[in-house]
Amino acid sequence: MAKNSPIEWTHHTFNPWWGCERVSAACKNCYAETWAHRLGLGLWSKGAPRRAMSDEYWRQPVKWNKTAAAAGRRDRVFCASMADVFEDRDDLAPMRARLWSLIAETPDLDWLLLTKRPQHVGTFVPWAESWPANVWLGTTVENQRWAQKRIPLLLEQPAKVRFLSCEPLLGPLNIATWLASPTG
């Protein structure tokens, strides 16, 4: 967790759990996997356990929300920098449900959910066609191949804000197809 994150495009980071399974070349040099290995945590593979966080940790966003509300501002929370909220694992369902409740409880925080698995979003979110205004949904597109696969899936979701992460950029990328024309 990082209150007052040094990442310039977010205020805080929140990791409901740690661990993931690689899905594309963008995962090859994953900083989260490297960090977990440095700590001696074997969390990066299909069968590996995921590291759940404490109840005290889960209470932090509620405090951030109160601070943001009192200051009359919106704070951004980059969620799951050490995992992927949309990884398809049954054991993550209770933590995902807890995350959805936490998001509802913190309306003065904008939650940035970034995934390399946009095909699972509609299955796991509880919002159907009526997403909360404080949820931003993004996907990683490291090259044209993954842009072609992931961007259409991202656009199927009615999140109020949708975004792309092109990090690491592993090849040429042209997203003009998905940008609205300035006249239309």
Side-chain angles (χ1 to χ4, degrees), residues 1-121:
M1 170 188 59
K3 179 180 179 183
N4 302 321
S5 173
I7 301 170
E8 63 271 4
W9 43 263
T10 193
H11 298 95
H12 312 288
T13 58
F14 178 78
N15 289 287
W17 61 87
W18 281 27
C20 200
E21 178 184 355
R22 292 180 179 194
V23 294
S24 70
C27 300
K28 182 179 180 187
N29 296 306
C30 176
Y31 74 89
E33 181 179 4
T34 300
W35 182 252
H37 283 304
R38 188 177 301 143
L39 297 176
L41 302 172
L43 306 171
W44 261 261
S45 71
K46 184 177 180 95
R50 299 299 178 249
R51 178 183 178 208
M53 306 311 279
S54 71
D55 288 341
E56 179 61 29
Y57 180 89
W58 278 80
R59 286 190 280 275
Q60 292 302 304
V62 174
K63 294 174 186 176
W64 303 338
N65 186 74
K66 287 178 184 171
T67 301
R73 68 173 193 259
R74 302 197 60 72
D75 282 356
R76 288 180 305 280
V77 178
F78 178 32
C79 184
S81 65
M82 298 295 290
D84 189 324
V85 171
F86 300 104
E87 183 181 13
D88 190 6
R89 288 176 54 127
D90 291 340
D91 61 325
L92 298 178
M95 287 186 282
R96 262 194 295 271
R98 187 175 184 184
L99 177 61
W100 309 147
S101 294
L102 181 61
I103 289 170
E105 189 180 348
T106 55
D108 291 294
L109 300 178
D110 289 323
W111 289 83
L112 286 69
L113 306 179
L114 177 63
T115 185
K116 290 182 184 79
R117 298 165 172 88
Q119 70 275 17
H120 298 309
V121 172

Side-chain angles (χ1 to χ4, degrees), residues 155-169:
L155 294 175
E156 288 177 5
Q157 302 305 319
K160 304 295 184 216
V161 176
R162 292 176 294 217
F163 64 96
L164 300 177
S165 172
C166 305
E167 183 182 14
L169 188 58

Side-chain angles (χ1 to χ4, degrees), residues 122-151:
T123 303
F124 294 138
V125 298
W127 309 304
E129 295 299 316
S130 183
W131 281 51
N134 66 331
V135 175
W136 299 16
L137 180 64
T139 195
T140 300
V141 292
E142 61 264 33
N143 57 31
Q144 196 65 38
R145 173 180 176 236
W146 288 105
Q148 296 291 129
K149 291 180 178 219
R150 293 182 182 143
I151 293 174

